[in-house]
Amino acid sequence: SYELTQPLSVSVALGQTARITCGGNNIGSKNVHWYQQKPGQAPVLVIYRDSNRPSGIPERFSGSNSGNTATLTISRAQAGDEADYYCQVWDSSSWVFGGGTKLTVL
Amino acid sequence: QVQLVQSGAEVKKPGASVKVSCKASGYTFTSYGISWVRQAPGQGLEWMGWISAYNGNTNYAQKLQGRVTMTTDTSTSTAYMELRSLRSDDTAVYYCAREGVGATRGTFDYWGQGTLVTVSS
């Protein structure tokens, strides 16, 4: 089965840029979606199809996908961005999630 | 506005079954699919399966084949997920999520609030 690899944790200073990676075999050929989940809440879609933002998601959130790595970038990080982030792809008739990355804003 | 409202928390004994409901509102229920995703305590997201609200077609995660059944009731715009032969490692928060269409196809664009299922003797 297809596997997605994310770092367990990423730290970023307030106002700086955070990058969260999602690794997978030839992931660049797939559509990657990203979700933000805050404690005790349901996930929220923040990026779809590699680099598109749903309405209501700040422009500070962006994404890219190439080769074996997809990346979620959060510019000008705010305290409210502290959360778990999950990547997701469709593979072999199944949805697959990465293991999740905890973003800490220092 | 789109809403998915799930049933309340459940406590079950090992070997029992649980059925969680997900009532949709604010959109045409039969135009979208519904997936179920679970999250064990302190763990990540696990996709369980999908059902078309249009025709009832299903697609279950291989790991849960034979133990899970997903259904819909179009008269009440409600989706259901039943999990049988419960084990302690089925303890998790269970979410329903709507699959997007068009540009957001393949994403889960709206989620229920989650239902905690605890399996304990």
Side-chain angles (χ1 to χ4, degrees), chain A residues 33 35 37 40-45 47-49 54 84 86 88 90 93-100, chain B residues 35 37 39 43-47 50 59-61 95 99 102-109 111-113:
Chain A
H33 316 300
Y35 299 85
Q37 186 181 32
Q41 298 183 19
V44 172
L45 179 68
I47 291 289
Y48 66 93
R49 290 192 177 188
D84 293 327
Y86 295 90
Q88 176 211 6
W90 169 257
S93 301
S94 295
W95 275 276
V96 180
F97 288 99
Chain B
S35 270
V37 176
Q39 185 171 36
Q43 302 302 307
L45 304 173
E46 178 187 13
W47 176 74
W50 168 92
N59 176 20
Y60 300 139
Y95 293 101
E99 183 192 356
T104 58
R105 178 174 175 157
T107 71
F108 301 145
D109 59 358
W111 295 65
Q113 83 277 18

Side-chain angles (χ1 to χ4, degrees), chain A residues 33-80:
Chain A
H33 316 300
W34 291 91
Y35 299 85
Q36 175 194 69
Q37 186 181 32
K38 296 182 179 179
Q41 298 183 19
V44 172
L45 179 68
V46 294
I47 291 289
Y48 66 93
R49 290 192 177 188
D50 300 340
S51 59
N52 297 278
R53 280 176 293 103
S55 60
I57 301 301
E59 291 183 9
R60 301 184 298 101
F61 287 81
S62 62
S64 63
N65 184 20
S66 178
N68 293 318
T69 305
T71 302
L72 172 68
T73 301
I74 305 171
S75 304
R76 302 182 299 283
Q78 302 178 357

Side-chain angles (χ1 to χ4, degrees), chain B residues 25-103:
Chain B
S25 61
Y27 71 96
T28 302
F29 183 65
T30 52
S31 295
Y32 294 80
I34 294 283
S35 270
W36 290 86
V37 176
R38 68 180 180 178
Q39 185 171 36
Q43 302 302 307
L45 304 173
E46 178 187 13
W47 176 74
M48 300 178 65
W50 168 92
I51 183 167
S52 165
Y54 173 70
N55 58 17
N57 286 351
T58 55
N59 176 20
Y60 300 139
Q62 190 169 7
K63 173 183 177 181
L64 296 172
Q65 287 272 4
R67 283 209 301 141
V68 68
T69 300
M70 296 176 187
T71 56
T72 60
D73 181 346
T74 57
S75 69
T76 60
S77 298
T78 303
Y80 298 91
M81 185 284 299
E82 181 180 32
L83 189 61
R84 300 177 292 279
S85 302
L86 290 168
R87 309 186 288 249
S88 58
D89 62 356
D90 291 318
T91 293
V93 175
Y94 289 74
Y95 293 101
C96 61
R98 189 185 81 165
E99 183 192 356
V101 297

